[in-house]
Amino acid sequence: MIEARLHDGSVLPVEVHGTGSATVLLPVDPRPAEGARAEELRRWGVDPALGRSLARGLADAGFRAVAFPYEGHLMAHPRPDALTPDTITADLLAVADATGADRFAYYGYSWLALSGLQLALRTDRLTALAMGGFPPLGGPYAEMLRVTRAAHAMAASAAAPGTTAVGTTDPNGYDWSSVAVSASEAQTRQFVTLYEALRDFDERAASARLRCPRLCFAGSSDTIPYGEGWGGVTVDIGGALAAGRTELAAAGWTVRLLDGLDHTQAMQPAHVLPVLLPWLTASRSALDDAVRPPR
């Protein structure tokens, strides 16, 4: 176990799996869930050992997988006013530094995918970027700002005496008007802060600046309709990726749409690894060149 000291002074535990020359940063919890939590995740269709499965899959394929529970850390140590692309980048680089990775690839899913995109724009240390569940073009920044503002308003209201909380969780197949919320005011406000910081983000200008190998994928059925209580928007990840597929490919992205999968299904190791591993392997020469000492 390695500890990384993040930009706010907090300490994040990190696990390293494998001894390959090419490092891949994975912002996932490498510790499998157990007991009641594991059963709850299975009911949602989530592998309780998702992070461990991804890390071991990469290690078995010859990569050095650096796994760390970044989202869980932020929920335990929320940053209501300070979760921004700059602070996230500082944290991810701190993890790389703590594990001795001068150059590294990155894979993230959903908001952790957009975090990887912001990282790629702020450092020349990234050798490859893989984004799952969030499109590099047509990203739902405005929609997610409305959703996170709604979640924050409900969490703030729930903190007041005599009110009832409604909570955030994976929405696929569920009625959002009846889902109860457990996140606190501070936990929800940090994501409002993040999406507010990205309101004017220019995706096309950003894409033109990237030079490392790039992969993006999503389930073709990754479409989430949110009711009026959650901002009354539809977050259509699969549709956005399909619409931008040609433009992304022309800009150098490898694009994969996973037929029939929704947001939760497309993040499971059984679907991620068959996409991620061949792509990383094909890019391995570039990754190895990035860490090989000059002659």
Side-chain angles (χ1 to χ4, degrees), residues 137-151:
L137 290 179
Y141 296 97
E143 292 87 347
M144 289 308 302
L145 179 56
R146 292 183 66 175
V147 170
T148 53
R149 281 175 171 169

Side-chain angles (χ1 to χ4, degrees), residues 110-196:
S110 197
W111 77 270
L112 292 166
L114 77 84
S115 297
L117 178 59
Q118 297 301 316
L119 169 69
L121 295 168
R122 288 168 170 76
T123 183
D124 60 1
R125 295 170 61 181
L126 204 63
T127 57
L129 169 65
M131 297 177 62
F134 202 98
L137 290 179
Y141 296 97
E143 292 87 347
M144 289 308 302
L145 179 56
R146 292 183 66 175
V147 170
T148 53
R149 281 175 171 169
H152 174 251
M154 284 186 279
S157 175
T163 60
T164 303
V166 220
T168 59
T169 184
D170 189 314
N172 291 295
Y174 289 82
D175 176 6
W176 271 75
S177 64
S178 64
V179 175
V181 167
S182 57
S184 71
E185 186 275 339
Q187 289 170 332
T188 54
R189 182 150 55 100
Q190 64 185 337
F191 293 102
V192 176
T193 297
L194 174 60
Y195 285 106
E196 283 182 340

